[in-house]
Amino acid sequence: MDHFGEDLVAALREIVKDGNWQCVGKKCDFDSPCTKLYSEDGEHIVLVHTEDDRFWAMDSSCPHEGGPLDLGDIEDLGDGKRVLVCPWHHFDFCLETGASSMGLQNQVYEVRVVQDMIYINTQNELCLSPIPETDTSNGKAIVYLMNNVAMTLEVQERWNSGEITEVGQATPPVQPSRKENLTVLQPGKIKRGKGGTQASRIALLHSLANIEQWAIDLSWDVIARFSSVRLDTGEPLPRQFFSDFVKVAGDEAKHYHLLETRITELDSFFGALPVHNGLWQSATDTSHDLLARLAIVHMVHEARGLDVHPQTLSRFAAQGDCSSVEVLEVIYRDEITHVAAGLRWFTYICSQEERDCLSTFHDLVKQHFKGYLKPPFNTEGRKTAGMTEEWYVPLVKPPS
């Protein structure tokens, strides 16, 4: 009879395994309304625990623009219907069906509670901790690193020393992960401050730190997403392309560290204020086209950073905040080289593919950037980066 009991347990385990039921832990471990469960293939799941002690599961990435549903709110619509609301753009998803009132559909998974253990019906193995990205070329390739200053600087050093010699391939996530304590709002709802008070200066520095954080991700994304790109000539991108963007990633990591340190010195911390993901939305829009990515992210957005520098610097200088001024000066000098890198590789690809640089740039900006470019322009800073007026003046709204 003892053997019969053991055989029965083994058989039940096989049934669970064959039926794609994943045991994710004890019921008491999931008191929070939303818990993110990580999958090796990036198809992460959010487990939802409602007030009536029921459990639900769906993909944790919003199908709209990849927003973190595990940071969303649960709302009761009445009639027993509950939805999970994305914190980015407020798309709602029915916990039972995954349907949204906005017309989108999210993947849902069946959940069962058996003897106080939580089971989710999915083929993917799930765990409570993030699964590290792995190298696909025996330690020689740059793997996809998202938003980690220390790892970015380490990879930069290993690349520059020759320890990393090849560029491998990896699939970038739809949306880079962020600290759970961040409040994400739409770009237009962020108050940046004018620098007249310490609180206002903190808000400005916080906004810049958020941009630098996304810039780290963008630098690795352009490497990972376009690592296997072939030009119309059949040639791959030169090694120097990757060297340039490894440097950009390292610079952005340095900038974030400087800003975070300065915010701490002013008795605050990164995450104390809301942030936005506007820069990543541009990355999403240009994920299919390297020239578009270089044009929009590096030759429009980063060049705009040069434009606002003089006014931002003067606000801190007017308040005698010399420490912040020093940080902003370091960032400005580096950002000029980043615009130059985007311009250099944009013109290189156009030249190799026999495209007209200026008309190609103007067409891509009109296609992927909303509205006109707006003055005032930092003509001197842009010229130092190699971007003379014929690049951007034709994109200004003509006088009526």
Side-chain angles (χ1 to χ4, degrees), residues 248-311:
V248 172
D251 288 346
E252 309 293 14
K254 176 182 68 177
H255 299 166
Y256 175 80
H257 177 68
L258 289 171
L259 289 164
E260 184 181 40
T261 300
R262 184 60 189 143
I263 292 170
T264 302
E265 291 171 350
L266 293 171
D267 297 325
S268 188
F269 62 93
F270 184 72
L273 299 172
V275 298
H276 69 83
N277 69 326
L279 197 56
W280 190 259
Q281 292 177 9
S282 294
T284 301
D285 293 341
T286 58
S287 61
H288 63 290
D289 186 340
L290 176 55
L291 278 177
R293 171 66 63 85
L294 295 172
I296 302 303
V297 172
H298 299 283
M299 298 170 67
V300 172
H301 287 306
E302 291 211 73
R304 184 57 182 164
L306 303 183
D307 297 337
V308 301
H309 170 77
Q311 186 179 20

Short mmCIF file of all heavy atoms in Angstrom, two decimals, residues 248-311:
data_model
loop_
_atom_site.label_atom_id
_atom_site.label_comp_id
_atom_site.label_asym_id
_atom_site.label_seq_id
_atom_site.Cartn_x
_atom_site.Cartn_y
_atom_site.Cartn_z
N VAL A 248 28.55 55.74 -25.43
CA VAL A 248 27.36 56.51 -25.09
C VAL A 248 26.68 55.91 -23.86
O VAL A 248 26.29 56.64 -22.93
CB VAL A 248 26.38 56.56 -26.29
CG1 VAL A 248 25.06 57.19 -25.87
CG2 VAL A 248 26.99 57.34 -27.44
N ALA A 249 26.55 54.59 -23.83
CA ALA A 249 25.93 53.93 -22.67
C ALA A 249 26.71 54.25 -21.39
O ALA A 249 26.12 54.55 -20.35
CB ALA A 249 25.87 52.42 -22.89
N GLY A 250 28.04 54.18 -21.48
CA GLY A 250 28.86 54.49 -20.32
C GLY A 250 28.71 55.93 -19.86
O GLY A 250 28.64 56.21 -18.66
N ASP A 251 28.63 56.85 -20.82
CA ASP A 251 28.43 58.26 -20.48
C ASP A 251 27.08 58.47 -19.78
O ASP A 251 26.99 59.20 -18.79
CB ASP A 251 28.48 59.13 -21.74
CG ASP A 251 29.88 59.27 -22.31
OD1 ASP A 251 30.85 58.95 -21.60
OD2 ASP A 251 29.99 59.72 -23.47
N GLU A 252 26.04 57.85 -20.33
CA GLU A 252 24.72 58.02 -19.74
C GLU A 252 24.66 57.45 -18.33
O GLU A 252 24.02 58.01 -17.43
CB GLU A 252 23.64 57.35 -20.61
CG GLU A 252 23.65 57.72 -22.09
CD GLU A 252 23.30 59.17 -22.38
OE1 GLU A 252 23.30 60.01 -21.44
OE2 GLU A 252 23.02 59.49 -23.55
N ALA A 253 25.35 56.33 -18.11
CA ALA A 253 25.42 55.75 -16.77
C ALA A 253 26.14 56.70 -15.81
O ALA A 253 25.72 56.88 -14.66
CB ALA A 253 26.12 54.40 -16.81
N LYS A 254 27.21 57.30 -16.29
CA LYS A 254 27.94 58.28 -15.48
C LYS A 254 27.04 59.47 -15.16
O LYS A 254 27.02 59.95 -14.01
CB LYS A 254 29.18 58.75 -16.24
CG LYS A 254 29.98 59.84 -15.54
CD LYS A 254 31.17 60.28 -16.38
CE LYS A 254 30.75 61.01 -17.63
NZ LYS A 254 31.89 61.50 -18.43
N HIS A 255 26.29 59.94 -16.14
CA HIS A 255 25.40 61.08 -15.93
C HIS A 255 24.34 60.77 -14.87
O HIS A 255 24.06 61.59 -13.98
CB HIS A 255 24.71 61.48 -17.24
CG HIS A 255 25.65 61.89 -18.31
ND1 HIS A 255 25.26 62.02 -19.63
CD2 HIS A 255 26.98 62.18 -18.28
CE1 HIS A 255 26.31 62.39 -20.36
NE2 HIS A 255 27.35 62.48 -19.56
N TYR A 256 23.73 59.58 -15.01
CA TYR A 256 22.71 59.21 -14.03
C TYR A 256 23.29 59.16 -12.62
O TYR A 256 22.67 59.66 -11.66
CB TYR A 256 22.09 57.85 -14.39
CG TYR A 256 21.12 57.38 -13.34
CD1 TYR A 256 19.81 57.86 -13.30
CD2 TYR A 256 21.52 56.48 -12.35
CE1 TYR A 256 18.92 57.46 -12.32
CE2 TYR A 256 20.64 56.07 -11.36
CZ TYR A 256 19.35 56.55 -11.35
OH TYR A 256 18.48 56.15 -10.37
N HIS A 257 24.47 58.60 -12.49
CA HIS A 257 25.12 58.51 -11.18
C HIS A 257 25.39 59.90 -10.61
O HIS A 257 25.15 60.16 -9.41
CB HIS A 257 26.42 57.73 -11.29
CG HIS A 257 27.19 57.65 -10.01
ND1 HIS A 257 26.75 56.94 -8.92
CD2 HIS A 257 28.38 58.22 -9.64
CE1 HIS A 257 27.62 57.07 -7.93
NE2 HIS A 257 28.60 57.84 -8.33
N LEU A 258 25.88 60.81 -11.45
CA LEU A 258 26.14 62.17 -10.99
C LEU A 258 24.86 62.86 -10.53
O LEU A 258 24.83 63.53 -9.48
CB LEU A 258 26.79 62.99 -12.12
CG LEU A 258 28.23 62.63 -12.49
CD1 LEU A 258 28.65 63.38 -13.76
CD2 LEU A 258 29.18 62.97 -11.35
N LEU A 259 23.80 62.70 -11.30
CA LEU A 259 22.53 63.34 -10.96
C LEU A 259 21.91 62.73 -9.72
O LEU A 259 21.40 63.44 -8.84
CB LEU A 259 21.56 63.23 -12.14
CG LEU A 259 21.91 64.09 -13.36
CD1 LEU A 259 21.14 63.61 -14.59
CD2 LEU A 259 21.62 65.57 -13.09
N GLU A 260 21.95 61.41 -9.63
CA GLU A 260 21.39 60.75 -8.45
C GLU A 260 22.14 61.16 -7.19
O GLU A 260 21.53 61.41 -6.13
CB GLU A 260 21.45 59.23 -8.62
CG GLU A 260 20.79 58.47 -7.47
CD GLU A 260 20.90 56.97 -7.65
OE1 GLU A 260 21.97 56.49 -8.08
OE2 GLU A 260 19.92 56.27 -7.32
N THR A 261 23.47 61.27 -7.30
CA THR A 261 24.28 61.71 -6.15
C THR A 261 23.92 63.12 -5.75
O THR A 261 23.78 63.44 -4.56
CB THR A 261 25.78 61.62 -6.50
OG1 THR A 261 26.12 60.27 -6.82
CG2 THR A 261 26.63 62.09 -5.33
N ARG A 262 23.75 64.00 -6.74
CA ARG A 262 23.42 65.40 -6.43
C ARG A 262 22.03 65.51 -5.81
O ARG A 262 21.82 66.30 -4.87
CB ARG A 262 23.49 66.24 -7.72
CG ARG A 262 23.26 67.72 -7.50
CD ARG A 262 24.27 68.32 -6.55
NE ARG A 262 23.94 69.69 -6.15
CZ ARG A 262 24.14 70.17 -4.94
NH1 ARG A 262 24.68 69.41 -3.99
NH2 ARG A 262 23.81 71.41 -4.66
N ILE A 263 21.08 64.74 -6.30
CA ILE A 263 19.74 64.73 -5.71
C ILE A 263 19.80 64.29 -4.25
O ILE A 263 19.14 64.87 -3.38
CB ILE A 263 18.80 63.81 -6.52
CG1 ILE A 263 18.55 64.40 -7.91
CG2 ILE A 263 17.47 63.61 -5.79
CD1 ILE A 263 17.84 63.44 -8.85
N THR A 264 20.62 63.29 -3.97
CA THR A 264 20.79 62.82 -2.59
C THR A 264 21.41 63.90 -1.72
O THR A 264 21.00 64.09 -0.56
CB THR A 264 21.66 61.55 -2.56
OG1 THR A 264 21.07 60.54 -3.38
CG2 THR A 264 21.80 61.02 -1.14
N GLU A 265 22.38 64.63 -2.27
CA GLU A 265 23.01 65.72 -1.52
C GLU A 265 22.01 66.82 -1.17
O GLU A 265 22.19 67.55 -0.19
CB GLU A 265 24.16 66.31 -2.34
CG GLU A 265 25.34 65.35 -2.48
CD GLU A 265 26.38 65.87 -3.48
OE1 GLU A 265 26.09 66.86 -4.18
OE2 GLU A 265 27.46 65.27 -3.55
N LEU A 266 20.95 66.92 -1.97
CA LEU A 266 19.91 67.93 -1.72
C LEU A 266 18.77 67.36 -0.88
O LEU A 266 17.65 67.90 -0.86
CB LEU A 266 19.37 68.46 -3.05
CG LEU A 266 20.37 69.28 -3.88
CD1 LEU A 266 19.81 69.58 -5.26
CD2 LEU A 266 20.73 70.58 -3.16
N ASP A 267 19.07 66.24 -0.18
CA ASP A 267 18.13 65.62 0.77
C ASP A 267 16.88 65.06 0.10
O ASP A 267 15.77 65.11 0.66
CB ASP A 267 17.72 66.62 1.87
CG ASP A 267 18.90 67.06 2.72
OD1 ASP A 267 19.78 66.21 2.96
OD2 ASP A 267 18.94 68.23 3.11
N SER A 268 17.05 64.50 -1.10
CA SER A 268 15.96 63.80 -1.76
C SER A 268 16.51 62.50 -2.33
O SER A 268 17.62 62.09 -1.99
CB SER A 268 15.35 64.68 -2.86
OG SER A 268 14.18 64.07 -3.37
N PHE A 269 15.78 61.87 -3.21
CA PHE A 269 16.23 60.62 -3.82
C PHE A 269 15.50 60.41 -5.14
O PHE A 269 14.41 60.97 -5.35
CB PHE A 269 15.98 59.43 -2.89
CG PHE A 269 14.53 59.19 -2.58
CD1 PHE A 269 13.76 58.31 -3.34
CD2 PHE A 269 13.92 59.86 -1.52
CE1 PHE A 269 12.41 58.10 -3.05
CE2 PHE A 269 12.57 59.66 -1.22
CZ PHE A 269 11.82 58.78 -1.99
N PHE A 270 16.12 59.61 -6.02
CA PHE A 270 15.47 59.34 -7.29
C PHE A 270 14.29 58.40 -7.05
O PHE A 270 14.44 57.33 -6.46
CB PHE A 270 16.43 58.71 -8.29
CG PHE A 270 15.80 58.51 -9.64
CD1 PHE A 270 15.54 59.60 -10.46
CD2 PHE A 270 15.42 57.24 -10.08
CE1 PHE A 270 14.93 59.43 -11.70
CE2 PHE A 270 14.83 57.07 -11.32
CZ PHE A 270 14.58 58.17 -12.12
N GLY A 271 13.14 58.79 -7.51
CA GLY A 271 11.90 58.07 -7.25
C GLY A 271 10.98 58.84 -6.32
O GLY A 271 9.82 58.47 -6.14
N ALA A 272 11.50 59.93 -5.74
CA ALA A 272 10.67 60.76 -4.86
C ALA A 272 9.59 61.50 -5.64
O ALA A 272 8.58 61.91 -5.08
CB ALA A 272 11.54 61.76 -4.10
N LEU A 273 9.81 61.69 -6.95
CA LEU A 273 8.88 62.40 -7.81
C LEU A 273 8.45 61.50 -8.97
O LEU A 273 9.15 60.53 -9.30
CB LEU A 273 9.53 63.67 -8.36
CG LEU A 273 9.97 64.70 -7.31
CD1 LEU A 273 10.78 65.81 -7.97
CD2 LEU A 273 8.77 65.28 -6.58
N PRO A 274 7.34 61.79 -9.60
CA PRO A 274 6.90 60.98 -10.75
C PRO A 274 7.86 61.09 -11.93
O PRO A 274 8.62 62.07 -12.05
CB PRO A 274 5.53 61.58 -11.11
CG PRO A 274 5.09 62.31 -9.89
CD PRO A 274 6.35 62.81 -9.24
N VAL A 275 7.84 60.10 -12.80
CA VAL A 275 8.66 60.09 -14.01
C VAL A 275 7.77 59.76 -15.21
O VAL A 275 6.60 59.44 -15.05
CB VAL A 275 9.80 59.04 -13.90
CG1 VAL A 275 10.73 59.38 -12.75
CG2 VAL A 275 9.23 57.63 -13.71
N HIS A 276 8.34 59.87 -16.40
CA HIS A 276 7.60 59.51 -17.62
C HIS A 276 8.48 58.62 -18.50
O HIS A 276 9.67 58.46 -18.26
CB HIS A 276 7.17 60.77 -18.38
CG HIS A 276 8.33 61.52 -18.98
ND1 HIS A 276 8.89 61.18 -20.19
CD2 HIS A 276 9.03 62.59 -18.53
CE1 HIS A 276 9.89 62.01 -20.47
NE2 HIS A 276 9.99 62.87 -19.47
N ASN A 277 7.86 58.03 -19.51
CA ASN A 277 8.58 57.14 -20.42
C ASN A 277 8.54 57.65 -21.86
O ASN A 277 8.59 56.87 -22.81
CB ASN A 277 7.99 55.73 -20.36
CG ASN A 277 6.60 55.66 -20.96
OD1 ASN A 277 5.83 56.61 -20.86
ND2 ASN A 277 6.26 54.55 -21.59
N GLY A 278 8.46 58.97 -22.02
CA GLY A 278 8.30 59.53 -23.36
C GLY A 278 9.43 59.18 -24.30
O GLY A 278 9.21 58.95 -25.50
N LEU A 279 10.66 59.12 -23.78
CA LEU A 279 11.79 58.83 -24.64
C LEU A 279 11.71 57.41 -25.18
O LEU A 279 12.06 57.15 -26.33
CB LEU A 279 13.10 59.03 -23.87
CG LEU A 279 14.39 59.16 -24.69
CD1 LEU A 279 14.27 60.28 -25.71
CD2 LEU A 279 15.58 59.40 -23.77
N TRP A 280 11.23 56.49 -24.37
CA TRP A 280 11.13 55.10 -24.84
C TRP A 280 10.03 54.94 -25.88
O TRP A 280 10.10 54.07 -26.74
CB TRP A 280 10.90 54.14 -23.67
CG TRP A 280 11.03 52.72 -24.11
CD1 TRP A 280 10.04 51.84 -24.39
CD2 TRP A 280 12.26 52.03 -24.37
NE1 TRP A 280 10.57 50.65 -24.81
CE2 TRP A 280 11.93 50.74 -24.80
CE3 TRP A 280 13.61 52.38 -24.26
CZ2 TRP A 280 12.90 49.79 -25.13
CZ3 TRP A 280 14.57 51.45 -24.59
CH2 TRP A 280 14.21 50.17 -25.02
N GLN A 281 9.03 55.78 -25.83
CA GLN A 281 7.99 55.71 -26.85
C GLN A 281 8.58 56.00 -28.23
O GLN A 281 8.18 55.39 -29.23
CB GLN A 281 6.87 56.70 -26.51
CG GLN A 281 6.08 56.30 -25.28
CD GLN A 281 5.01 57.31 -24.91
OE1 GLN A 281 4.73 58.25 -25.66
NE2 GLN A 281 4.42 57.13 -23.75
N SER A 282 9.55 56.91 -28.29
CA SER A 282 10.23 57.18 -29.55
C SER A 282 11.04 55.97 -30.00
O SER A 282 11.13 55.68 -31.20
CB SER A 282 11.16 58.39 -29.40
OG SER A 282 10.42 59.56 -29.17
N ALA A 283 11.62 55.27 -29.03
CA ALA A 283 12.38 54.06 -29.36
C ALA A 283 11.45 52.99 -29.94
O ALA A 283 11.80 52.29 -30.89
CB ALA A 283 13.10 53.54 -28.13
N THR A 284 10.27 52.88 -29.36
CA THR A 284 9.29 51.90 -29.85
C THR A 284 8.88 52.23 -31.28
O THR A 284 8.79 51.34 -32.14
CB THR A 284 8.06 51.88 -28.93
OG1 THR A 284 8.46 51.54 -27.61
CG2 THR A 284 7.03 50.88 -29.42
N ASP A 285 8.66 53.50 -31.54
CA ASP A 285 8.22 53.92 -32.88
C ASP A 285 9.30 53.67 -33.94
O ASP A 285 8.97 53.55 -35.13
CB ASP A 285 7.87 55.41 -32.87
CG ASP A 285 6.64 55.70 -32.03
OD1 ASP A 285 5.87 54.76 -31.77
OD2 ASP A 285 6.46 56.87 -31.65
N THR A 286 10.57 53.62 -33.53
CA THR A 286 11.66 53.47 -34.49
C THR A 286 12.37 52.12 -34.36
O THR A 286 13.49 51.96 -34.83
CB THR A 286 12.70 54.59 -34.31
OG1 THR A 286 13.21 54.55 -32.95
CG2 THR A 286 12.07 55.96 -34.55
N SER A 287 11.72 51.16 -33.72
CA SER A 287 12.38 49.87 -33.45
C SER A 287 12.63 49.05 -34.71
O SER A 287 13.41 48.10 -34.68
CB SER A 287 11.53 49.05 -32.47
OG SER A 287 10.25 48.79 -33.03
N HIS A 288 11.99 49.43 -35.81
CA HIS A 288 12.10 48.66 -37.04
C HIS A 288 13.13 49.23 -38.02
O HIS A 288 13.40 48.63 -39.06
CB HIS A 288 10.74 48.65 -37.75
CG HIS A 288 10.30 50.02 -38.17
ND1 HIS A 288 9.91 50.99 -37.25
CD2 HIS A 288 10.22 50.62 -39.40
CE1 HIS A 288 9.59 52.09 -37.90
NE2 HIS A 288 9.77 51.90 -39.19
N ASP A 289 13.71 50.41 -37.70
CA ASP A 289 14.51 51.13 -38.70
C ASP A 289 15.66 51.85 -38.01
O ASP A 289 15.45 52.77 -37.22
CB ASP A 289 13.60 52.14 -39.41
CG ASP A 289 14.29 52.86 -40.57
OD1 ASP A 289 15.53 52.88 -40.60
OD2 ASP A 289 13.58 53.41 -41.43
N LEU A 290 16.89 51.41 -38.28
CA LEU A 290 18.06 51.99 -37.63
C LEU A 290 18.22 53.47 -37.99
O LEU A 290 18.54 54.29 -37.13
CB LEU A 290 19.33 51.22 -38.02
CG LEU A 290 20.65 51.78 -37.49
CD1 LEU A 290 20.63 51.94 -35.98
CD2 LEU A 290 21.81 50.88 -37.93
N LEU A 291 18.02 53.83 -39.24
CA LEU A 291 18.14 55.23 -39.63
C LEU A 291 17.12 56.10 -38.88
O LEU A 291 17.44 57.20 -38.43
CB LEU A 291 17.96 55.39 -41.14
CG LEU A 291 19.19 55.12 -42.01
CD1 LEU A 291 18.83 55.24 -43.48
CD2 LEU A 291 20.33 56.07 -41.67
N ALA A 292 15.90 55.60 -38.74
CA ALA A 292 14.88 56.34 -38.00
C ALA A 292 15.28 56.49 -36.54
O ALA A 292 15.09 57.55 -35.94
CB ALA A 292 13.53 55.65 -38.12
N ARG A 293 15.84 55.43 -35.96
CA ARG A 293 16.29 55.50 -34.56
C ARG A 293 17.37 56.56 -34.39
O ARG A 293 17.32 57.38 -33.46
CB ARG A 293 16.80 54.13 -34.11
CG ARG A 293 17.51 54.13 -32.74
CD ARG A 293 16.55 54.46 -31.61
NE ARG A 293 15.50 53.47 -31.50
CZ ARG A 293 15.64 52.32 -30.81
NH1 ARG A 293 16.76 52.06 -30.17
NH2 ARG A 293 14.65 51.47 -30.75
N LEU A 294 18.36 56.56 -35.26
CA LEU A 294 19.44 57.55 -35.17
C LEU A 294 18.89 58.96 -35.35
O LEU A 294 19.29 59.90 -34.64
CB LEU A 294 20.51 57.25 -36.22
CG LEU A 294 21.28 55.94 -36.06
CD1 LEU A 294 22.15 55.69 -37.28
CD2 LEU A 294 22.15 55.96 -34.80
N ALA A 295 17.97 59.10 -36.29
CA ALA A 295 17.42 60.43 -36.57
C ALA A 295 16.62 60.98 -35.40
O ALA A 295 16.84 62.12 -34.95
CB ALA A 295 16.54 60.38 -37.82
N ILE A 296 15.70 60.19 -34.87
CA ILE A 296 14.76 60.70 -33.86
C ILE A 296 15.42 60.78 -32.48
O ILE A 296 15.34 61.81 -31.81
CB ILE A 296 13.50 59.83 -33.80
CG1 ILE A 296 12.81 59.80 -35.17
CG2 ILE A 296 12.56 60.36 -32.72
CD1 ILE A 296 12.44 61.17 -35.71
N VAL A 297 16.05 59.70 -32.05
CA VAL A 297 16.58 59.67 -30.69
C VAL A 297 17.85 60.51 -30.56
O VAL A 297 17.99 61.32 -29.64
CB VAL A 297 16.85 58.22 -30.24
CG1 VAL A 297 17.59 58.20 -28.90
CG2 VAL A 297 15.53 57.46 -30.12
N HIS A 298 18.76 60.36 -31.50
CA HIS A 298 20.08 60.99 -31.34
C HIS A 298 20.22 62.34 -32.04
O HIS A 298 21.02 63.17 -31.61
CB HIS A 298 21.16 60.02 -31.83
CG HIS A 298 21.17 58.74 -31.05
ND1 HIS A 298 21.71 58.64 -29.80
CD2 HIS A 298 20.67 57.52 -31.35
CE1 HIS A 298 21.56 57.41 -29.35
NE2 HIS A 298 20.93 56.71 -30.27
N MET A 299 19.44 62.57 -33.08
CA MET A 299 19.59 63.82 -33.81
C MET A 299 18.44 64.79 -33.58
O MET A 299 18.53 65.95 -33.99
CB MET A 299 19.74 63.51 -35.31
CG MET A 299 20.98 62.67 -35.63
SD MET A 299 21.00 62.06 -37.34
CE MET A 299 21.21 63.59 -38.24
N VAL A 300 17.38 64.33 -32.95
CA VAL A 300 16.28 65.22 -32.57
C VAL A 300 16.25 65.39 -31.05
O VAL A 300 16.45 66.47 -30.52
CB VAL A 300 14.93 64.73 -33.10
CG1 VAL A 300 13.78 65.56 -32.52
CG2 VAL A 300 14.89 64.81 -34.62
N HIS A 301 16.01 64.28 -30.32
CA HIS A 301 15.86 64.39 -28.87
C HIS A 301 17.16 64.82 -28.18
O HIS A 301 17.15 65.71 -27.32
CB HIS A 301 15.38 63.06 -28.29
CG HIS A 301 13.94 62.77 -28.59
ND1 HIS A 301 12.92 63.65 -28.29
CD2 HIS A 301 13.34 61.70 -29.18
CE1 HIS A 301 11.76 63.14 -28.67
NE2 HIS A 301 11.99 61.95 -29.21
N GLU A 302 18.28 64.18 -28.53
CA GLU A 302 19.53 64.55 -27.86
C GLU A 302 19.98 65.95 -28.28
O GLU A 302 20.56 66.69 -27.48
CB GLU A 302 20.62 63.51 -28.14
CG GLU A 302 20.35 62.18 -27.47
CD GLU A 302 21.63 61.45 -27.09
OE1 GLU A 302 22.29 61.87 -26.13
OE2 GLU A 302 21.94 60.45 -27.77
N ALA A 303 19.71 66.32 -29.51
CA ALA A 303 20.04 67.69 -29.93
C ALA A 303 19.17 68.69 -29.18
O ALA A 303 19.63 69.79 -28.85
CB ALA A 303 19.84 67.83 -31.44
N ARG A 304 17.95 68.31 -28.88
CA ARG A 304 17.08 69.20 -28.10
C ARG A 304 17.66 69.39 -26.70
O ARG A 304 17.52 70.46 -26.09
CB ARG A 304 15.67 68.63 -28.03
CG ARG A 304 14.67 69.54 -27.31
CD ARG A 304 14.60 70.90 -27.97
NE ARG A 304 13.68 71.81 -27.29
CZ ARG A 304 13.66 73.12 -27.47
NH1 ARG A 304 14.53 73.68 -28.31
NH2 ARG A 304 12.81 73.88 -26.83
N GLY A 305 18.31 68.36 -26.18
CA GLY A 305 18.98 68.50 -24.90
C GLY A 305 20.05 69.57 -24.93
O GLY A 305 20.25 70.30 -23.94
N LEU A 306 20.74 69.69 -26.05
CA LEU A 306 21.72 70.77 -26.20
C LEU A 306 21.03 72.13 -26.20
O LEU A 306 21.56 73.10 -25.66
CB LEU A 306 22.51 70.59 -27.50
CG LEU A 306 23.26 69.27 -27.70
CD1 LEU A 306 24.05 69.33 -29.01
CD2 LEU A 306 24.18 68.97 -26.54
N ASP A 307 19.84 72.20 -26.81
CA ASP A 307 19.13 73.47 -26.91
C ASP A 307 18.72 74.01 -25.54
O ASP A 307 18.78 75.23 -25.29
CB ASP A 307 17.88 73.30 -27.78
CG ASP A 307 18.20 72.92 -29.21
OD1 ASP A 307 19.33 73.19 -29.66
OD2 ASP A 307 17.33 72.32 -29.87
N VAL A 308 18.28 73.13 -24.65
CA VAL A 308 17.76 73.60 -23.36
C VAL A 308 18.86 73.79 -22.32
O VAL A 308 18.61 74.35 -21.25
CB VAL A 308 16.71 72.61 -22.81
CG1 VAL A 308 15.55 72.45 -23.78
CG2 VAL A 308 17.32 71.26 -22.48
N HIS A 309 20.07 73.37 -22.64
CA HIS A 309 21.16 73.44 -21.66
C HIS A 309 21.44 74.87 -21.16
O HIS A 309 21.53 75.09 -19.94
CB HIS A 309 22.45 72.83 -22.23
CG HIS A 309 23.65 73.08 -21.40
ND1 HIS A 309 23.91 72.38 -20.24
CD2 HIS A 309 24.67 73.98 -21.53
CE1 HIS A 309 25.03 72.82 -19.70
NE2 HIS A 309 25.52 73.79 -20.46
N PRO A 310 21.60 75.86 -22.05
CA PRO A 310 21.96 77.19 -21.54
C PRO A 310 20.95 77.74 -20.52
O PRO A 310 21.35 78.28 -19.48
CB PRO A 310 21.99 78.05 -22.82
CG PRO A 310 22.30 77.08 -23.91
CD PRO A 310 21.57 75.84 -23.53
N GLN A 311 19.67 77.58 -20.80
CA GLN A 311 18.65 78.10 -19.89
C GLN A 311 18.64 77.32 -18.58
O GLN A 311 18.53 77.90 -17.49
CB GLN A 311 17.27 78.05 -20.54
CG GLN A 311 16.18 78.70 -19.70
CD GLN A 311 14.82 78.66 -20.39
OE1 GLN A 311 14.61 77.86 -21.28
NE2 GLN A 311 13.92 79.53 -19.97
#
